[in-house]
Amino acid sequence: MSAPLLKVSGLTKAFRHKTGFFARPTSQLAVNSIDLELAPHERIGVVGESGSGKSTLGRLLLGLTEPTEGDVWFEGVNHKERRERDWKAFRMRTALVQQNPLSALNPQMTVGQQIAEGLLVHHVCNRNFAYERAAAMLERVGLPGAMMNRYPHQMSGGQRQRVVIARALILDPRLVVFDEAVSALDVSVQAQVVALLRSLWQELDLAYVFITHDLRIVRHLVDRIAVMYLGRVVEMGDIRSVYAWPRHPYTRALLASVPSLDPAIRNIEPPIKGERDASKVSTGCAFRSRCPFAIDRCAIETPELRHVGGQQVACHLADELPKSIASPGGTLSPRTAVAQEMAL
Amino acid sequence: MAFATSSRSPTRAIGNPSRGPLRGMPVSIGLCCMWIAIVIFIGLSATWLAPYDYTHQDPLARFARPFVSAAHWFGTDYLGRDVVSNLLVATQTTLMIALAGSLICALIGTSLGLIAAHFGGWMDNAIMGFADAMAAVPFIIVALSVLAFFGTSPLLFVFLVGFANWERYARLTRGLVLSAREEGYAEAARIVGVPAMRIYLRHMLPNIAGPLIVQFTVNFPEIILLESGLSFLGLGIQPPETSLGLMVADGRTYLAIAWWLAALPGAVIVLTTLSISLLGDYLRDRLDARLR
Amino acid sequence: MTAFILARFLRAIAVLVFTVTLVFIVLRLTGDPAQQMLSDNAGPEALAAFNEKWGLDRSIPEQYLYYVVNALRGDFGVSFADGREVFTVVAERIPKTLVVTVSAFILSLLIGIPAGILAAVRRETALDKSVMAGAVLGYSVPNFLLGLVFIFVFAVWLRVLPSSGSSTWNHAVLPVATFALFNAAAIARFMRSTLIDVLGQPYIAAARADGIPYWDVILRHALPNAAIPMVTTIGFVAGGLLGGSALIEPVFAWPGLGSGFVNATNTGDLPVVQAMIVLFTAFMVAINFSVDVLYAVLNPKIRKH
C-alpha cells in the first residue's frame, strides 16, 4: 500500500462541562484515542448514533478544532507543525460537505460566487476563468451552468446539495469529509446524490470520509467502515466483511435496526437496552451497560481493537459470538434466548 | 440566524418589496418618506435654496410675523434675520452633524462588536463591560462632563455625538456575528480558506445588515435630539453657525412676543425624528414578518 | 443570593472608584490643576494653600491618595462662580432636584403602568392607540421643546402657572409635568409590550383554559412575570432622570443639579463639575445596584441560589 493520505493516532478530544457555578467542571471524551489510516483514493464510512463523536472526529481531521491529545497527519505533515501558509495549502487540498445545504450556503451570494470563491481567495486563476471553471463544475455535478446566477433560496434541496458538493470540489481536493451530507434529503434525491458521489470518485483522485448515522447509504458508497460508540471506534474493516459478519454487539444491533437488511438478522438480534450514559463509564467497555452479552471482564478491562476475521473489533467476546444469528427455522441460540428473556 | 433563511435579501426587500414597490405601505409611512426626502433635499442644497444670507440682519424688519409677508414667509427674528433662510441652514447643519455622528457611531459600534465577537476572552469582557458602563449612565451627562473638561469645538462635538449609544451597535453586532458564525456558510467559507476579514465583510455583513439598518433608524433621531439638546444648552453648535437646537434656544427668550422663532425649528425637529422613527418601526415590523 | 448581591455591591464600588480615578486622570492630563481649579485672580498664597491641601507638591500616587480622601470627605474645593465651598453649592441643589424628579417618577409610574396594562389588555382600542401614539411622540419630541410648549400654553397664553423659578409649589408643576409625561410614555410602552409578550405564553392560555377569571389571570399570572423585565426598564427610566434634569431644569430655570451642572459646564467651573460627576455616578451606581437587588428578589432563578 502507498503512503497514507491521512493518518490519525491516539486522537482524543475532551469537552468540558460545567453543571453549576460552583460545580467542578467535568470533562467528557467526545473522541477517545482513535487510530485511523486512509489511503489516497480510499473511501471510509464513519457511522454511529448522534453523540458518538463522529462529527467531532470529522472536525478534528480538518483541523477545525484542536485535539486534546493525539496527532493528525495529512500527506505526511502533522497538523501541529502547520504554519499559517501550510494551513492555506491544506485548506486547498481538503473540503467539507455539510449536513444542511440551506444553511451551508450564503443566502446573500449567488451560487456562482460561492463556488468560484475558493479559486479567487487562493488566487488560482483570474475572475473570468474562475467563473468559467465554476460553471463547468456546476455542470459536472449535474446542474445547468445557467444556475450560476441563482440564489440558494431559488433552488431545491437536492440542487443545493449539488452546489455544496461543487463548492467543495472546485479546488480539486484530495480529501473530502462528508458530514451527514445526504441525511437531510428525500430518499429519491439521496439516491441521485449518492450516484453522483460514486461517479465523481471514479473520475477524480479523491478520498472520502463519509460520516453518517445511516447504514443503508454507506453500504453503496465506501470501501471501509468504522463504527463509533461514545468516542471510540468499536469495529472497523472492509465494508463487505463487516456487513456480512458484524462482530461487535453494537454493530450487530445497528445493522439489525436497518429495515432493508437481511430479514433473518432483523427482529432476532437482541435489542440494546437502556440509555447511553457516558458519565458513569470510566473503566471497562463503554457499551457494557447496554450489551446483552456483557460478562464480568467487560467491567474491568477496556477492550482494545484487535483483528478478528476480516476486521478489527473492540470486544472481548468478538470471536466467541457466532456469525449466524438463528435463521427463522433454526434452533434458538443462547443469545436469542437471552433476548426473549429480556423482552418479557 | 433566521435571516439566512429569509426568502429574499432583507436589504433589497426594503426598497423593492416583491409585490409591487409601494403596495401595502400605509399613507403615514408615505408621508414620512416624503418629509425625509424633503429634509435630505434641504440638507444637500440649503445654501442655494435660502432666499437670504442667513446671517443678514434687517433692523427695520424685526419680529415680522410669519405667513403674512411674501418677503419673509416664516417671518424674521429679533435681529430681523429671515427665518426661512435660518431654518434651511440650521436643518442642514443639524442633519450633517447627525449623519456624521450616526455613521461614526455605527462604525465604532459595529467594529467593537465585531472585535469582541472575533477575539472573545478578555477582549470581549473588556469591550462589553465598557458597553455596560456606557449604557448605565445617561449619555447627556457624559457629554456635559467631556465638554466641561475639553471645551466645545465643532470636531469634538461631532465625535462626541457619534459616541452616543455606540454600545447598542456593539451588542447587536456581537450577537449577530456570534450566531452567524454558527451558520454553515461561515464555516464553509472558513474551510475553503477565506480570510477572516473577508468572511466578516463579504459573507456575514450582508446577512446581518437588516437589523443594523433598523438600529440606524432608531439611533439617527436620537442623535438629532442629542445635537439639538446640547446646542439648546449652549454647548453644541456656537454662533455664528446655527442649528435647530440653537434656534430653539434663541427663540425661547422671545416666546411671549414671537412664538414662531422657537416653534418652527421645533416643528422641524419633531417632524424629522418622528418620520424616521415611524419609518424605522415600519421597517422593523416588515423584517420581523420575514423572520416568522 | 447573598453571593450575587455581594458581587454586585463590589462591582458598584469598583465603578465608583473607576470614575473618581478617571476624573483625577483627566484633570491631571488637561493641565496644571492649581490653575484649572482656582479662578484666574487667585493670589500666590491661595495657590500655595491649594497645592498644600491637595498634596500637589508630592508624587502622583500621593496626590491620588489626597484626592480620593478629599473626595470621600465630600471636599471638592471652592467654586469659581461665587467662591463658596463646592459641597454647599452642590448640596443645596440636591433637594430641588429630588422634589422634581421623585414626584415626577412616582407620577409617571402611576400613569404609565396602568395605561400600559390597559393598552395591552384592550388592544386595538382608542386607549391602546393613544398610548402608542404618546410613546412615539415621547421619543420624537425633545423634552426641552415640550417644556417650552408647556410654558407657552400655561404661562404665556393661559397665564395660570409661572414659567420659571422655584419659589412656590406652583413653580414645580410644569417641570414635574414635563418629566412625568416623558417617563410615563416610556413606561407605558414597555409595560404594554412586556405584558403582550407574557400574555402570549402557553401558561397564560393554560390558566385561561382552566377557567380562571380573566382579570385574575392578568393580575396573578401575567403581571408577576411581566414585573421582572419591567424592573430593568423602570431602573433605566430612574437612571435617565438625571440626564433629563440637565435639559428640563434649564428650561424652567429650576435651580437643581441639572441646571447647576449645565451652568458649571458653560462657565468652566471645574470644581463643581467634578463634584457633580462623582455625585451622579454614585446616584447611577445606587440605582443600578437597587435594580440588581430587586431583580434578584423577584427572579426565582437567582433567589434560589
Side-chain angles (χ1 to χ4, degrees):
Chain A
M1 205 167 90
S2 57
L5 178 73
L6 184 75
K7 186 170 181 261
V8 167
S9 133
L11 198 61
T12 300
K13 176 75 183 178
F15 285 116
R16 286 174 156 272
H17 292 277
K18 235 180 158 189
T19 44
F21 186 71
F22 295 106
R24 279 181 59 190
T26 55
S27 70
Q28 189 179 332
L29 298 178
V31 168
N32 192 350
S33 35
I34 286 184
D35 300 307
L36 197 71
E37 268 189 32
L38 189 69
H41 205 54
E42 201 195 350
R43 298 171 300 181
I44 189 167
V46 179
V47 297
E49 299 165 286
S50 61
S52 60
K54 56 190 196 299
S55 286
T56 309
L57 176 64
R59 297 177 61 81
L60 286 167
L61 296 182
L62 293 177
L64 295 172
T65 40
E66 294 265 309
T68 314
E69 260 173 69
D71 301 275
V72 179
W73 288 269
F74 179 79
E75 294 183 326
V77 182
N78 193 330
H79 274 2
K80 286 175 182 163
E81 286 154 17
R82 287 181 193 278
R83 299 278 158 267
E84 188 101 341
R85 234 185 34 209
D86 309 319
W87 275 116
K88 233 181 147 186
F90 175 76
R91 294 272 166 249
M92 293 178 70
R93 298 188 60 80
T94 56
L96 173 70
V97 174
Q98 291 146 312
Q99 184 163 20
N100 178 355
L102 186 57
S103 97
L105 291 172
N106 190 329
Q108 299 280 349
M109 288 168 80
T110 65
V111 160
Q113 285 172 336
Q114 301 192 50
I115 298 175
E117 180 154 45
L119 296 170
L120 296 175
V121 297
H122 290 293
H123 307 291
V124 176
C125 55
N126 70 29
R127 186 163 288 271
N128 288 338
F129 192 48
Y131 280 95
E132 249 171 63
R133 275 181 64 176
M137 184 53 80
L138 208 54
E139 278 168 18
R140 179 61 200 82
V141 297
L143 295 175
M147 280 201 171
M148 287 280 285
N149 297 320
R150 294 247 186 124
Y151 285 91
H153 66 265
Q154 296 167 317
M155 310 181 102
S156 71
Q159 289 172 329
R160 286 188 205 121
Q161 193 56 288
R162 285 170 194 265
V163 170
V164 174
I165 292 167
R167 180 176 64 188
L169 296 181
I170 193 74
L171 286 166
D172 193 20
R174 289 291 161 268
L175 170 71
V176 184
V177 175
F178 296 86
D179 188 358
E180 298 281 14
V182 293
S183 311
L185 303 174
D186 292 340
V187 177
S188 59
V189 183
Q190 257 182 8
Q192 294 168 13
V193 173
V194 167
L196 171 69
L197 294 179
R198 286 168 66 93
S199 83
L200 286 169
W201 179 77
Q202 275 155 13
E203 285 171 35
L204 304 168
D205 181 14
L206 281 172
Y208 285 173
V209 173
F210 204 89
I211 296 164
T212 185
H213 67 274
D214 191 334
L215 285 114
R216 283 172 306 136
I217 291 170
V218 278
R219 189 180 205 183
H220 309 292
L221 206 60
V222 301
D223 312 308
R224 266 200 307 149
I225 187 170
V227 180
M228 284 185 71
Y229 186 78
L230 285 179
R232 280 178 176 273
V233 171
V234 292
E235 183 157 8
M236 178 155 66
D238 183 81
I239 182 87
R240 267 158 307 180
S241 82
V242 171
Y243 273 57
W245 188 350
R247 303 268 185 173
H248 194 283
Y250 179 61
T251 316
R252 297 166 80 121
L254 274 186
L255 284 171
S257 66
V258 176
S260 63
L261 289 174
D262 186 359
I265 302 177
R266 189 164 32 123
N267 299 333
I268 295 169
E269 182 69 19
I272 49 178
K273 56 187 178 184
E275 289 289 310
R276 215 155 29 86
D277 187 356
S279 56
K280 285 180 190 160
V281 181
S282 49
T283 57
C285 176
F287 186 59
R288 68 168 194 277
S289 60
R290 300 171 79 188
C291 182
F293 310 107
I295 53 173
D296 291 347
R297 187 179 167 205
C298 302
I300 303 156
E301 192 184 331
T302 310
E304 296 295 324
L305 270 181
R306 62 199 170 100
H307 287 274
V308 179
Q311 61 247 44
Q312 289 171 284
V313 189
C315 177
H316 298 308
L317 297 170
D319 31 23
E320 289 160 41
L321 301 177
K323 173 185 184 178
S324 158
I325 298 161
S327 56
T331 49
L332 220 55
S333 70
R335 282 151 313 284
T336 18
V338 173
Q340 289 190 342
E341 225 168 78
M342 278 172 33
L344 289 175
Chain B
M1 255 316 288
F3 277 98
T5 58
S6 78
S7 61
R8 228 167 179 288
S9 123
T11 39
R12 223 168 311 119
I14 289 161
N16 180 21
S18 41
R19 293 149 281 129
L22 288 172
R23 204 169 140 191
M25 188 195 262
V27 182
S28 57
I29 300 300
L31 289 176
C32 290
C33 291
M34 243 170 70
W35 177 257
I36 293 169
I38 292 172
V39 168
I40 291 173
F41 181 65
I42 292 173
L44 292 174
S45 53
T47 31
W48 297 303
L49 287 177
Y52 300 88
D53 178 357
Y54 75 101
T55 53
H56 175 76
Q57 302 177 2
D58 185 356
L60 296 177
R62 294 168 62 216
F63 297 119
R65 301 188 71 79
F67 315 121
V68 290
S69 151
H72 303 286
W73 282 3
F74 285 170
T76 56
D77 71 2
Y78 55 100
L79 293 170
R81 293 178 300 194
D82 181 45
V83 173
V84 173
S85 308
N86 261 283
L87 213 49
L88 289 171
V89 174
T91 305
Q92 186 182 38
T93 312
T94 298
L95 205 65
M96 288 303 154
I97 290 176
L99 189 65
S102 298
L103 289 176
I104 292 171
C105 183
L107 202 67
I108 294 177
T110 31
S111 309
L112 285 176
L114 193 62
I115 291 171
H118 179 76
F119 292 100
W122 69 266
M123 184 75 107
D124 189 14
N125 285 332
I127 291 176
M128 287 301 123
F130 188 33
D132 285 346
M134 285 288 295
V137 184
F139 187 75
I140 189 109
I141 302 288
V142 178
L144 286 174
S145 315
V146 172
L147 292 170
F149 283 119
F150 296 99
T152 40
S153 79
L155 193 67
L156 175 73
F157 185 58
V158 169
F159 272 93
L160 189 64
V161 168
F163 210 60
N165 300 332
W166 65 269
E167 74 276 357
R168 296 196 202 154
Y169 282 103
R171 284 211 194 110
L172 187 65
T173 309
R174 178 177 173 275
L176 289 170
V177 166
L178 285 181
S179 60
R181 212 156 59 176
E182 298 305 312
E183 291 283 329
Y185 69 81
E187 185 176 57
R190 205 149 65 88
I191 290 163
V192 169
V194 180
M197 208 56 191
R198 188 176 155 102
I199 293 182
Y200 286 129
L201 295 183
R202 178 133 170 72
H203 290 251
M204 283 186 191
L205 198 58
N207 283 298
I208 64 174
L212 288 174
I213 290 170
V214 170
Q215 178 61 46
F216 192 84
T217 67
V218 174
N219 209 27
F220 193 80
E222 288 185 1
I223 291 193
I224 292 181
L225 293 186
L226 181 67
E227 187 281 326
S228 15
L230 287 171
S231 295
F232 175 77
L233 295 177
L235 289 159
I237 294 300
Q238 303 292 322
E241 305 293 325
T242 184
S243 84
L244 293 174
L246 199 57
M247 280 184 82
V248 175
D250 274 351
R252 174 189 163 202
T253 326
Y254 306 98
L255 211 53
I257 52 169
W259 55 269
W260 61 92
L261 294 184
L264 291 173
V268 174
I269 296 175
V270 172
L271 283 176
T272 310
T273 51
L274 191 65
S275 297
I276 302 172
S277 296
L278 287 177
L279 184 66
D281 278 359
Y282 174 73
L283 291 183
R284 188 172 46 209
D285 286 351
R286 298 224 33 170
L287 283 178
D288 278 354
R290 277 161 198 289
L291 291 176
R292 272 178 217 127
Chain C
M1 191 167 82
T2 329
F4 174 81
I5 290 177
L6 195 70
R8 291 299 154 126
F9 184 73
L10 286 178
R11 200 174 76 168
I13 299 294
V15 170
L16 207 55
V17 171
F18 175 78
T19 311
V20 170
T21 312
L22 195 70
V23 172
F24 172 82
I25 292 171
V26 170
L27 266 183
R28 291 298 177 276
L29 279 184
T30 45
D32 180 15
Q35 265 169 15
Q36 286 209 348
M37 301 292 294
L38 292 176
S39 49
D40 296 334
N41 50 16
E45 63 275 14
L47 264 174
F50 183 87
N51 282 339
E52 160 93 47
K53 178 176 170 200
W54 294 86
L56 289 178
D57 38 1
R58 297 166 195 248
S59 68
I60 293 284
E62 277 178 294
Q63 285 184 31
Y64 177 66
L65 213 65
Y66 270 87
Y67 174 82
V68 171
V69 168
N70 279 319
L72 285 178
R73 283 169 35 209
D75 189 346
F76 287 93
V78 171
S79 161
F80 297 176
D82 46 15
R84 291 189 297 149
E85 288 280 316
V86 168
F87 186 81
T88 343
V89 172
V90 173
E92 69 186 18
R93 285 175 178 270
I94 293 177
K96 294 279 184 193
T97 290
L98 282 182
V99 166
V100 172
T101 51
V102 170
S103 43
F105 183 63
I106 293 170
L107 201 61
S108 59
L109 290 180
L110 291 179
I111 299 170
I113 290 182
I117 294 174
L118 283 174
V121 174
R122 305 251 181 276
R123 282 185 74 177
E124 301 297 323
T125 59
L127 178 84
D128 182 25
K129 284 182 180 144
S130 50
V131 164
M132 286 310 284
V136 171
L137 280 176
Y139 58 74
S140 307
V141 180
N143 45 15
F144 62 88
L145 200 66
L146 185 70
L148 288 183
V149 171
F150 279 173
I151 289 179
F152 185 75
V153 172
F154 295 101
V156 176
W157 190 30
L158 298 176
R159 294 175 186 281
V160 288
L161 288 167
S163 67
S164 62
S166 68
S167 40
T168 69
W169 285 108
N170 274 350
H171 285 92
V173 173
L174 288 182
V176 168
T178 311
F179 252 123
L181 217 61
F182 266 93
N183 295 335
I187 290 172
R189 177 161 161 260
F190 280 107
M191 188 70 233
R192 175 183 178 275
S193 59
T194 311
L195 194 56
I196 284 175
D197 267 5
V198 172
L199 287 176
Q201 299 294 320
Y203 58 80
I204 297 296
R208 294 197 65 184
D210 285 349
I212 301 174
Y214 188 55
W215 276 102
D216 252 26
V217 173
I218 305 270
L219 295 177
R220 302 223 341 267
H221 293 256
L223 281 182
N225 284 293
I228 296 168
M230 277 312 286
V231 165
T232 316
T233 303
I234 292 172
F236 198 73
V237 169
L241 288 171
L242 282 179
S245 73
L247 277 163
I248 293 177
E249 287 183 3
V251 174
F252 298 99
W254 183 264
L257 292 171
S259 52
F261 194 31
V262 172
N263 287 342
T265 303
N266 260 324
T267 54
D269 197 348
L270 288 183
V272 174
V273 167
Q274 58 160 319
M276 286 207 176
I277 291 175
V278 174
L279 181 67
F280 286 180
T281 312
F283 176 75
M284 294 309 306
V285 163
I287 294 269
N288 288 325
F289 179 65
S290 338
V291 168
D292 283 345
V293 170
L294 208 56
Y295 193 84
V297 170
L298 282 174
N299 194 339
K301 281 181 209 157
I302 301 179
R303 195 169 52 204
K304 267 195 194 159
H305 247 357

